[in-house]
Amino acid sequence: MAAVQVSEAEKVYIMHGVRDDLRLDGRGCEDYRHMEIETDVVSNTDGSAKISLGHTDVLVGVKAEIGKPKPMVPDEGYLEFFVDCSANATPEFEGRGGEELGVELSNTLYKVFNNRHSVDLRSLCICPGENCWVLYVDVLLLQCDGNLFDAISIAIKAALFNTRIPKVHISEDEEGVKEMELSDDPYDCMRLNVENVPCIVTLCKIGHRHVVDATLQEKACSVASLLISVTHRGTVTCVRKMGGGSLDPESIFEMTEAGKRVGKALHAPLMELLQKEESLGKKRQKVGFLG
């Protein structure tokens, strides 16, 4: 995605601020912007969430469908990702720009989330080798003001927490033909254990220091970024360097340690918020969104 243009004077000002642990909006180098999360926002999905991180808005919907397991892992289900970069989010998403970014985001999300260490894929198995649940995770970028990967990962974790998969009852007739019946009781459903689902922390190198949750202006001053997915225990599950510049070994070590620290701290308040919102049930004030 093309960077926002900043003047040389703005660049120097931003870099000096980062050096002194003071950013344009008053945050420290390891602080996130204000975040708002709402779950169960799209009516025709099995789970959904919307996140606002500063002025970055992301909507995620999860749809569970019965499919065939992959031959290499016959006792597991799997996740499929599709990212739609709305041209309304930023003019840079128009045409090929949005399409290419969507593919890049989808590929990264697949690496981070579609493995048994992040999601209990075995719980998605219905009949080994025959049927499994496939979770189609649709991500819609509504507004972009930097730090897309972090916002998307948090929205995915929230949407998976909100996902309810119908229970499958299998019966066999006298000829041994299996018949599947999906429960239509909304309470007779399976929930995913999202405890190990990681969150992505993107760290941008600006001058000799690095910042988390960079705005588009800060991103324009960054030579390179390190994308780190971190579990609630602080375990790093995926690292990816982005941007044209190089990172020296010392910077990579410092950024990885910061990512682990920041990522680990994200999970507890996020889970607390999701459980609190769910416990309010119908009493919570719901903002209608594509409902």
Side-chain angles (χ1 to χ4, degrees), residues 68-99:
K68 272 190 91 63
K70 296 183 175 175
M72 299 290 284
V73 275
D75 60 344
E76 291 180 6
Y78 55 96
L79 285 73
E80 291 282 1
F81 293 94
F82 175 74
V83 182
D84 182 3
C85 303
S86 167
N88 297 328
T90 168
E92 289 150 19
F93 288 172
E94 281 179 31
R96 297 287 303 162
E99 209 175 292

Short mmCIF file of all heavy atoms in Angstrom, two decimals, residues 68-99:
data_model
loop_
_atom_site.label_atom_id
_atom_site.label_comp_id
_atom_site.label_asym_id
_atom_site.label_seq_id
_atom_site.Cartn_x
_atom_site.Cartn_y
_atom_site.Cartn_z
N LYS A 68 -15.11 -30.95 2.94
CA LYS A 68 -14.28 -32.16 3.03
C LYS A 68 -12.94 -31.80 3.64
O LYS A 68 -12.35 -30.79 3.27
CB LYS A 68 -14.06 -32.75 1.63
CG LYS A 68 -15.14 -33.74 1.22
CD LYS A 68 -14.76 -34.48 -0.05
CE LYS A 68 -14.01 -35.76 0.23
NZ LYS A 68 -14.80 -36.75 0.97
N PRO A 69 -12.47 -32.62 4.60
CA PRO A 69 -11.16 -32.33 5.18
C PRO A 69 -10.03 -32.49 4.17
O PRO A 69 -10.20 -33.18 3.16
CB PRO A 69 -11.02 -33.35 6.32
CG PRO A 69 -12.08 -34.36 6.12
CD PRO A 69 -13.10 -33.82 5.17
N LYS A 70 -8.92 -31.85 4.44
CA LYS A 70 -7.77 -31.97 3.54
C LYS A 70 -7.13 -33.35 3.74
O LYS A 70 -7.03 -33.82 4.88
CB LYS A 70 -6.78 -30.84 3.82
CG LYS A 70 -7.42 -29.49 3.50
CD LYS A 70 -6.49 -28.34 3.67
CE LYS A 70 -7.18 -27.06 3.19
NZ LYS A 70 -6.40 -25.86 3.41
N PRO A 71 -6.70 -34.02 2.65
CA PRO A 71 -6.18 -35.39 2.75
C PRO A 71 -5.04 -35.56 3.75
O PRO A 71 -4.94 -36.58 4.42
CB PRO A 71 -5.68 -35.68 1.32
CG PRO A 71 -6.43 -34.72 0.44
CD PRO A 71 -6.70 -33.51 1.27
N MET A 72 -4.18 -34.53 3.89
CA MET A 72 -3.04 -34.62 4.81
C MET A 72 -3.47 -34.61 6.27
O MET A 72 -2.78 -35.14 7.14
CB MET A 72 -2.06 -33.46 4.56
CG MET A 72 -1.47 -33.45 3.16
SD MET A 72 -0.34 -34.81 2.88
CE MET A 72 1.10 -34.24 3.75
N VAL A 73 -4.61 -33.96 6.55
CA VAL A 73 -5.12 -33.87 7.94
C VAL A 73 -6.60 -34.25 7.93
O VAL A 73 -7.47 -33.38 8.04
CB VAL A 73 -4.89 -32.47 8.55
CG1 VAL A 73 -3.51 -32.33 9.14
CG2 VAL A 73 -5.13 -31.36 7.51
N PRO A 74 -6.91 -35.55 7.81
CA PRO A 74 -8.31 -35.98 7.66
C PRO A 74 -9.17 -35.76 8.91
O PRO A 74 -10.39 -35.81 8.82
CB PRO A 74 -8.19 -37.48 7.35
CG PRO A 74 -6.85 -37.88 7.89
CD PRO A 74 -5.98 -36.68 7.76
N ASP A 75 -8.51 -35.50 10.07
CA ASP A 75 -9.28 -35.34 11.31
C ASP A 75 -9.34 -33.88 11.76
O ASP A 75 -9.55 -33.59 12.93
CB ASP A 75 -8.69 -36.21 12.43
CG ASP A 75 -7.23 -35.84 12.74
OD1 ASP A 75 -6.60 -35.15 11.90
OD2 ASP A 75 -6.74 -36.22 13.82
N GLU A 76 -9.15 -32.94 10.81
CA GLU A 76 -9.18 -31.51 11.15
C GLU A 76 -10.06 -30.73 10.18
O GLU A 76 -10.17 -31.07 9.01
CB GLU A 76 -7.77 -30.91 11.11
CG GLU A 76 -6.85 -31.38 12.21
CD GLU A 76 -5.47 -30.75 12.11
OE1 GLU A 76 -5.25 -29.85 11.26
OE2 GLU A 76 -4.60 -31.16 12.90
N GLY A 77 -10.65 -29.66 10.70
CA GLY A 77 -11.30 -28.69 9.83
C GLY A 77 -10.27 -27.62 9.49
O GLY A 77 -9.10 -27.74 9.83
N TYR A 78 -10.70 -26.54 8.85
CA TYR A 78 -9.73 -25.49 8.51
C TYR A 78 -10.44 -24.15 8.32
O TYR A 78 -11.67 -24.07 8.28
CB TYR A 78 -8.91 -25.86 7.28
CG TYR A 78 -9.71 -26.20 6.04
CD1 TYR A 78 -9.97 -25.25 5.05
CD2 TYR A 78 -10.21 -27.50 5.84
CE1 TYR A 78 -10.69 -25.57 3.92
CE2 TYR A 78 -10.93 -27.83 4.71
CZ TYR A 78 -11.17 -26.85 3.74
OH TYR A 78 -11.89 -27.17 2.62
N LEU A 79 -9.63 -23.11 8.22
CA LEU A 79 -10.14 -21.75 8.03
C LEU A 79 -9.74 -21.25 6.65
O LEU A 79 -8.67 -21.60 6.14
CB LEU A 79 -9.54 -20.79 9.08
CG LEU A 79 -10.06 -20.85 10.52
CD1 LEU A 79 -9.57 -22.10 11.23
CD2 LEU A 79 -9.60 -19.63 11.30
N GLU A 80 -10.62 -20.48 6.03
CA GLU A 80 -10.31 -19.82 4.76
C GLU A 80 -10.49 -18.31 4.97
O GLU A 80 -11.45 -17.89 5.62
CB GLU A 80 -11.26 -20.29 3.65
CG GLU A 80 -11.06 -21.73 3.21
CD GLU A 80 -9.86 -21.92 2.30
OE1 GLU A 80 -9.16 -20.92 2.02
OE2 GLU A 80 -9.62 -23.06 1.88
N PHE A 81 -9.60 -17.52 4.41
CA PHE A 81 -9.65 -16.07 4.62
C PHE A 81 -9.89 -15.32 3.31
O PHE A 81 -9.35 -15.68 2.27
CB PHE A 81 -8.33 -15.58 5.24
CG PHE A 81 -8.11 -16.08 6.64
CD1 PHE A 81 -7.38 -17.23 6.86
CD2 PHE A 81 -8.64 -15.42 7.72
CE1 PHE A 81 -7.18 -17.72 8.14
CE2 PHE A 81 -8.46 -15.89 9.01
CZ PHE A 81 -7.72 -17.04 9.22
N PHE A 82 -10.71 -14.29 3.41
CA PHE A 82 -10.90 -13.38 2.28
C PHE A 82 -10.91 -11.97 2.83
O PHE A 82 -11.66 -11.67 3.78
CB PHE A 82 -12.22 -13.67 1.54
CG PHE A 82 -12.49 -12.66 0.45
CD1 PHE A 82 -11.76 -12.70 -0.73
CD2 PHE A 82 -13.43 -11.67 0.63
CE1 PHE A 82 -11.99 -11.75 -1.74
CE2 PHE A 82 -13.66 -10.72 -0.38
CZ PHE A 82 -12.94 -10.77 -1.56
N VAL A 83 -10.05 -11.12 2.27
CA VAL A 83 -9.97 -9.73 2.74
C VAL A 83 -10.43 -8.80 1.63
O VAL A 83 -9.90 -8.85 0.51
CB VAL A 83 -8.53 -9.36 3.17
CG1 VAL A 83 -8.48 -7.93 3.68
CG2 VAL A 83 -8.03 -10.33 4.25
N ASP A 84 -11.42 -7.98 1.93
CA ASP A 84 -11.96 -7.02 0.97
C ASP A 84 -11.51 -5.62 1.38
O ASP A 84 -11.90 -5.13 2.44
CB ASP A 84 -13.50 -7.11 0.95
CG ASP A 84 -14.11 -6.15 -0.07
OD1 ASP A 84 -13.35 -5.48 -0.78
OD2 ASP A 84 -15.35 -6.06 -0.13
N CYS A 85 -10.65 -5.03 0.57
CA CYS A 85 -10.17 -3.67 0.85
C CYS A 85 -11.11 -2.69 0.16
O CYS A 85 -10.97 -2.42 -1.04
CB CYS A 85 -8.75 -3.49 0.35
SG CYS A 85 -7.61 -4.69 1.06
N SER A 86 -12.07 -2.18 0.89
CA SER A 86 -13.06 -1.27 0.32
C SER A 86 -12.38 -0.01 -0.19
O SER A 86 -11.57 0.60 0.50
CB SER A 86 -14.09 -0.91 1.40
OG SER A 86 -14.87 0.19 0.99
N ALA A 87 -12.73 0.39 -1.42
CA ALA A 87 -12.14 1.61 -2.01
C ALA A 87 -12.55 2.84 -1.20
O ALA A 87 -11.92 3.90 -1.29
CB ALA A 87 -12.57 1.75 -3.46
N ASN A 88 -13.62 2.72 -0.40
CA ASN A 88 -14.05 3.85 0.44
C ASN A 88 -13.11 4.05 1.63
O ASN A 88 -13.07 5.12 2.23
CB ASN A 88 -15.47 3.60 0.98
CG ASN A 88 -16.48 3.51 -0.13
OD1 ASN A 88 -16.33 4.15 -1.16
ND2 ASN A 88 -17.52 2.70 0.06
N ALA A 89 -12.37 2.98 2.00
CA ALA A 89 -11.49 3.07 3.17
C ALA A 89 -10.35 4.05 2.91
O ALA A 89 -9.98 4.83 3.78
CB ALA A 89 -10.93 1.69 3.51
N THR A 90 -9.79 4.00 1.73
CA THR A 90 -8.74 4.92 1.31
C THR A 90 -8.63 4.86 -0.21
O THR A 90 -8.79 3.78 -0.79
CB THR A 90 -7.37 4.59 1.96
OG1 THR A 90 -6.35 5.35 1.30
CG2 THR A 90 -7.04 3.13 1.89
N PRO A 91 -8.37 5.97 -0.86
CA PRO A 91 -8.28 5.96 -2.33
C PRO A 91 -7.22 4.99 -2.85
O PRO A 91 -7.30 4.52 -3.98
CB PRO A 91 -7.88 7.40 -2.67
CG PRO A 91 -8.30 8.22 -1.49
CD PRO A 91 -8.22 7.32 -0.30
N GLU A 92 -6.21 4.65 -1.98
CA GLU A 92 -5.14 3.74 -2.41
C GLU A 92 -5.64 2.32 -2.67
O GLU A 92 -4.95 1.51 -3.27
CB GLU A 92 -4.03 3.71 -1.35
CG GLU A 92 -3.23 4.99 -1.31
CD GLU A 92 -2.70 5.29 0.07
OE1 GLU A 92 -2.65 4.36 0.90
OE2 GLU A 92 -2.36 6.45 0.34
N PHE A 93 -6.85 2.00 -2.17
CA PHE A 93 -7.40 0.66 -2.36
C PHE A 93 -8.10 0.50 -3.71
O PHE A 93 -8.54 -0.58 -4.05
CB PHE A 93 -8.39 0.31 -1.25
CG PHE A 93 -7.76 0.06 0.09
CD1 PHE A 93 -8.55 -0.09 1.22
CD2 PHE A 93 -6.39 -0.05 0.23
CE1 PHE A 93 -7.98 -0.33 2.47
CE2 PHE A 93 -5.80 -0.28 1.46
CZ PHE A 93 -6.60 -0.43 2.58
N GLU A 94 -8.20 1.59 -4.46
CA GLU A 94 -8.89 1.51 -5.74
C GLU A 94 -8.07 0.67 -6.73
O GLU A 94 -6.85 0.73 -6.75
CB GLU A 94 -9.13 2.92 -6.31
CG GLU A 94 -10.32 3.61 -5.66
CD GLU A 94 -10.54 5.01 -6.21
OE1 GLU A 94 -10.22 5.21 -7.38
OE2 GLU A 94 -11.03 5.86 -5.45
N GLY A 95 -8.77 -0.11 -7.54
CA GLY A 95 -8.09 -0.90 -8.58
C GLY A 95 -7.20 -1.98 -8.00
O GLY A 95 -7.53 -2.63 -7.02
N ARG A 96 -6.02 -2.16 -8.62
CA ARG A 96 -5.12 -3.26 -8.26
C ARG A 96 -4.56 -3.12 -6.85
O ARG A 96 -4.25 -4.12 -6.22
CB ARG A 96 -3.94 -3.31 -9.25
CG ARG A 96 -4.32 -3.60 -10.67
CD ARG A 96 -4.73 -5.03 -10.91
NE ARG A 96 -3.70 -5.98 -10.51
CZ ARG A 96 -3.91 -7.26 -10.29
NH1 ARG A 96 -5.12 -7.75 -10.41
NH2 ARG A 96 -2.94 -8.07 -9.94
N GLY A 97 -4.42 -1.88 -6.37
CA GLY A 97 -3.83 -1.65 -5.04
C GLY A 97 -4.54 -2.42 -3.94
O GLY A 97 -3.93 -3.14 -3.16
N GLY A 98 -5.86 -2.30 -3.92
CA GLY A 98 -6.65 -2.98 -2.89
C GLY A 98 -6.63 -4.49 -3.06
O GLY A 98 -6.58 -5.23 -2.09
N GLU A 99 -6.63 -4.94 -4.31
CA GLU A 99 -6.63 -6.37 -4.61
C GLU A 99 -5.34 -7.03 -4.12
O GLU A 99 -5.35 -8.07 -3.47
CB GLU A 99 -6.76 -6.55 -6.12
CG GLU A 99 -7.46 -7.83 -6.54
CD GLU A 99 -7.64 -7.88 -8.05
OE1 GLU A 99 -8.44 -7.06 -8.58
OE2 GLU A 99 -6.96 -8.69 -8.67
#
